[in-house]
Amino acid sequence: MIPALRNGRQADTERRRQRVASAVKSAAGNGTPTSVSAIARQAGVDRSFLYRHRDLLEIVHAAELEPAAQDPVGTSPVSRASLQADLANAQARNTRLASRIQQLERRLSQVLGTQAWQESGLGAPADIDEFQRKITRLEQ
């Protein structure tokens, strides 16, 4: 009787494995989300079944990494090259913005320095040169 139970259990396990494999194939074929929970739900098995069978879990994780065969939105899938190009563009923009910020900080520093110098009274007022010229003309 024990061998009969073992054979029945092995047959049940094999049927579940087949359902998981077909669920992964159908999910990859029609572009539905591929996750452990989604595949387990579609195959009618517990997630623990997938975690007990590492080979099936690896198949599910590999299917998660594959781009969808049909893109439901209608746009092309994101590729590694396009992501790298976006990253390079963002880095170049950051470099340009950092340079511009430094330029504006220098300019602001100069303007504030000049303004502080004039308001402190340490510097000569702008119209003193005018007074000097008038004095020179009057003395002549």
Side-chain angles (χ1 to χ4, degrees), residues 27-40:
N30 58 6
T32 58
T34 307
S35 67
V36 174
S37 296
I39 296 298

Side-chain angles (χ1 to χ4, degrees), residues 109-129:
S109 176
Q110 290 170 351
V111 169
L112 288 176
T114 304
Q115 181 181 1
W117 176 258
Q118 288 173 350
E119 289 177 2
S120 70
L122 296 174
D127 58 350
I128 203 152
D129 289 332

Side-chain angles (χ1 to χ4, degrees), residues 79-140:
S79 69
R80 182 177 178 87
S82 69
L83 291 175
Q84 287 175 335
D86 288 346
L87 179 61
N89 289 335
Q91 288 172 336
R93 183 171 188 265
N94 284 345
T95 303
R96 287 191 309 272
L97 289 174
S99 173
R100 179 68 174 148
I101 287 170
Q102 287 177 351
Q103 178 187 18
L104 290 173
E105 286 174 343
R106 281 192 304 269
R107 187 172 168 198
L108 179 63
S109 176
Q110 290 170 351
V111 169
L112 288 176
T114 304
Q115 181 181 1
W117 176 258
Q118 288 173 350
E119 289 177 2
S120 70
L122 296 174
D127 58 350
I128 203 152
D129 289 332
E130 181 70 29
F131 290 134
Q132 290 293 339
R133 277 182 253 156
K134 272 187 176 180
I135 291 173
T136 308
R137 273 186 269 139
L138 290 173
E139 286 177 348
Q140 291 176 355

Side-chain angles (χ1 to χ4, degrees), residues 56-72:
L56 293 175
L57 188 62
E58 289 175 9
I59 291 171
V60 172
H61 288 310
E64 285 177 334
L65 297 176
E66 291 294 319
Q70 297 175 353
D71 196 4

